[in-house]
Every structure is written in structure tokens, then in C-alpha cells.
């Protein structure tokens, strides 16, 4: 799977809570991506076995069903490896935690 900056954004959103379930709009907001970019990435990740999804109705009957996504065990491993590799190459995903340089004021 080709790792793009957009994919790194999605992986970062998932890794912040690897066991958590996220729905599309929540992921769009966290990754700062449009639906036209996010949903093809989620489909690729699901096709590769990195993400699983399920439809659920969040509250009562008045709310529309949402499709929730969650990283699989393999997806967690893949995400952590790719984010670490990107960080080591000097291209952390947006929102990634970085260490302050020596001498920086805290």
C-alpha cells in the first residue's frame, strides 16, 4: 500500500485511540480531509484488512445510522510502523507529537 501524507493523517487519527471506533465525519475532522479523499482511503484500508467497519444507530430511532471504523490488530501494527518511519524520515503526520529541540523554551 502506498503511504501518502493523507493516509498518514488518517492513521494518526486512528492511533490516537487505537481501540476506539470512529465514524466518517469524526475522521474527516481529525485528519482534516474531505470526504472524497477520506472514504477511498478507508475503503483501501478495509480491503487490506487494516480497518473493519460496522453500521450502528448511535442513539434512538430518530438518529441516522453511522458507519463506524476501527483498526484491526494488523492495522494498529501497520499504522505505528508507518508513522514511526515517517517521523524518522522527517515527515511526521500533521498533528504528530514532536520533541522540542534543545534550548527551546517550554
Amino acid at each position: 500500500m502506498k503511504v501518502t501524507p493523507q493516509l498518514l493523517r488518517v492513521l494518526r487519527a486512528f492511533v490516537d485511540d487505537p481501540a476506539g471506533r470512529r465514524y466518517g465525519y469524526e475522521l474527516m475532522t481529525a485528519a482534516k480531509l474531505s470526504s472524497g479523499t477520506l472514504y477511498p482511503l478507508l475503503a483501501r484500508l478495509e480491503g487490506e484488512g487494516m480497518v473493519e467497519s460496522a453500521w450502528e444507530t448511535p442513539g434512538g430511532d430518530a438518529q441516522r445510522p453511522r458507519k463506524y471504523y476501527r483498526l484491526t490488530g494488523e492495522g494498529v501494527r501497520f499504522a505505528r510502523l508507518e508513522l514511526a518511519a515517517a517521523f524518522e524520515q522527517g515527515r511526521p503526520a500533521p498533528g504528530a507529537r514532536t520533541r522540542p529541540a534543545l534550548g527551546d523554551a517550554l
Side-chain angles (χ1 to χ4, degrees), residues 14-52:
F14 274 118
V15 168
D16 284 342
D17 182 11
R21 299 175 318 130
R22 312 293 284 284
Y23 61 96
Y25 183 75
E26 183 181 15
L27 287 167
M28 284 182 359
T29 303
K32 296 181 173 89
L33 296 173
S34 69
S35 61
T37 301
L38 176 68
Y39 288 107
L41 287 173
L42 289 172
R44 278 181 38 211
L45 287 168
E46 193 165 14
E48 297 278 335
M50 306 294 172
V51 168
E52 58 190 19

Side-chain angles (χ1 to χ4, degrees), residues 23-104:
Y23 61 96
Y25 183 75
E26 183 181 15
L27 287 167
M28 284 182 359
T29 303
K32 296 181 173 89
L33 296 173
S34 69
S35 61
T37 301
L38 176 68
Y39 288 107
L41 287 173
L42 289 172
R44 278 181 38 211
L45 287 168
E46 193 165 14
E48 297 278 335
M50 306 294 172
V51 168
E52 58 190 19
S53 66
W55 284 96
E56 291 183 23
T57 303
D61 293 331
Q63 293 188 343
R64 295 171 24 152
R66 292 180 177 165
K67 190 172 187 179
Y68 285 88
Y69 299 88
R70 185 176 74 190
L71 286 176
T72 63
E74 180 64 21
V76 171
R77 188 185 71 73
F78 173 76
R80 288 182 176 159
L81 288 173
E82 291 302 329
L83 289 166
F87 182 81
E88 287 181 12
Q89 294 172 7
R91 52 182 186 95
R97 295 175 192 95
T98 58
R99 295 183 215 156
L102 290 175
D104 281 356

